[in-house]
Amino acid sequence: LAGVQVQLAGALEEFWYLRGAFTEGRAHLEAVLASGAGFRSHRAEVHRSAGMLARYQGDLAAATGHLDASLALFSEIVAELRETESPHLALFEHHVATTLSALSDVALLRGDTREAIGFATDALALPTPAAGAAALLLGLAEHAAGDLGAADQHFAQAQRLAEEAGDESLLASCLRNLGVVARDSGDLGAAETYYRRALSIDRRSAREQILAHTLLSLAELLAIKGGDPADLLDEGLALARALGDRQAE
């Protein structure tokens, strides 16, 4: 029974995330880890889930600790599976890549761009479905470090991978960030094209917070270009206010 609880706990991250029940989720996951129960793979997932919930709360030290523990366990399993040429190797390499990407994200939030680039580079080197997200994170870290050329290259790589996978959420993120690089490079026409492509995807999704962000980013760009941002600005602000009011209830 204890092993089943550990396995279930690792799979509940999205449930707690969608509910915004970060403190409740972290408490449950910490209790599960303290019990000492579960296989290594399940405990690695619980550590990763606890790390992500801590990241959402801004507790970056706890997030790093849990993600480091998750990476150590998954890496240990991968090393063993490589020795036996196990058919499960690809699955656990994917877990390693996903955890490395999470560590890159947390490192970037801490302002450590060098470490963020290192984690994302390691994640991208693994042949897994997580490569698109890793390329996006690598671009984000490179942009934060001021390397616009490298950032543009990796955002474009992430875009290609997202298109191949049919991942519209990742694709929209790539397009927005390509727009940011184009804007920062002074190519406002290309920036607008990227933002409008992202906006068309965001309008089809249920991610209202991201839609509001894209609307406001495009409105800001049009203002810089000397265009009329009024409609986009009004829509973005109205949506942002509605989301704020909803979160305050």
Side-chain angles (χ1 to χ4, degrees), residues 199-220:
L199 181 60
S200 68
I201 296 173
D202 292 338
R203 288 196 185 282
R204 296 196 296 270
S205 78
R207 302 168 304 160
E208 293 179 320
Q209 189 170 15
I210 292 176
L211 173 58
H213 172 72
T214 306
L215 286 163
L216 294 174
S217 295
L218 182 54
E220 179 184 19

Side-chain angles (χ1 to χ4, degrees), residues 156-180:
Q157 180 183 5
Q159 178 192 351
R160 290 192 299 273
L161 292 169
E163 289 171 339
E164 290 171 5
D167 187 337
E168 285 210 326
S169 176
L170 177 60
L171 177 58
S173 294
C174 297
L175 293 168
R176 277 191 300 274
N177 283 287
L178 283 165
V180 171

Side-chain angles (χ1 to χ4, degrees), residues 196 199 203 215 218-219 222 229-237:
R196 289 195 181 279
L199 181 60
R203 288 196 185 282
L215 286 163
L218 182 54
L222 290 179
D231 290 344
L232 292 168
L233 183 61
D234 289 345
E235 184 183 357
L237 289 174

Side-chain angles (χ1 to χ4, degrees), residues 22-23 26 52-59:
F22 304 133
T23 300
R26 288 179 65 186
M52 293 309 298
L53 292 179
R55 175 253 187 263
Y56 299 142
Q57 286 192 306
D59 188 348

Side-chain angles (χ1 to χ4, degrees), residues 4-190:
V4 173
Q5 290 176 328
V6 176
Q7 185 176 6
L8 180 61
L12 285 174
E13 176 197 330
E14 185 175 3
F15 168 76
W16 284 309
Y17 173 74
L18 293 174
R19 288 183 59 204
F22 304 133
T23 300
E24 173 191 337
R26 288 179 65 186
H28 183 79
L29 294 172
E30 294 286 0
V32 167
L33 289 169
S35 74
F39 294 111
R40 279 181 305 170
S41 59
H42 296 156
R43 291 180 63 79
E45 288 190 59
V46 172
H47 271 299
R48 187 170 61 203
S49 294
M52 293 309 298
L53 292 179
R55 175 253 187 263
Y56 299 142
Q57 286 192 306
D59 188 348
L60 301 185
T64 300
H66 279 298
L67 292 171
D68 279 341
S70 177
L71 179 61
L73 289 169
F74 279 133
S75 297
E76 186 178 275
I77 295 169
V78 163
E80 294 172 4
L81 293 177
R82 283 176 177 164
E83 290 181 359
T84 60
E85 299 183 357
S86 169
H88 302 298
L89 176 60
L91 170 63
F92 284 95
E93 285 184 331
H94 177 68
H95 281 306
V96 168
T98 301
T99 307
L100 284 165
S101 291
L103 280 163
S104 177
D105 176 50
V106 171
L108 189 56
L109 289 172
R110 294 200 319 267
D112 191 337
T113 56
R114 178 177 296 182
E115 189 168 83
I117 288 171
F119 283 131
T121 299
D122 289 345
L124 187 56
L126 291 167
T128 78
L136 175 65
L137 284 162
L138 182 52
L140 289 170
E142 289 164 338
H143 183 263
D147 190 343
L148 297 184
D152 185 71
Q153 177 184 343
H154 284 110
F155 289 146
Q157 180 183 5
Q159 178 192 351
R160 290 192 299 273
L161 292 169
E163 289 171 339
E164 290 171 5
D167 187 337
E168 285 210 326
S169 176
L170 177 60
L171 177 58
S173 294
C174 297
L175 293 168
R176 277 191 300 274
N177 283 287
L178 283 165
V180 171
V181 171
R183 182 198 65 196
D184 292 349
S185 301
D187 191 344
L188 302 186

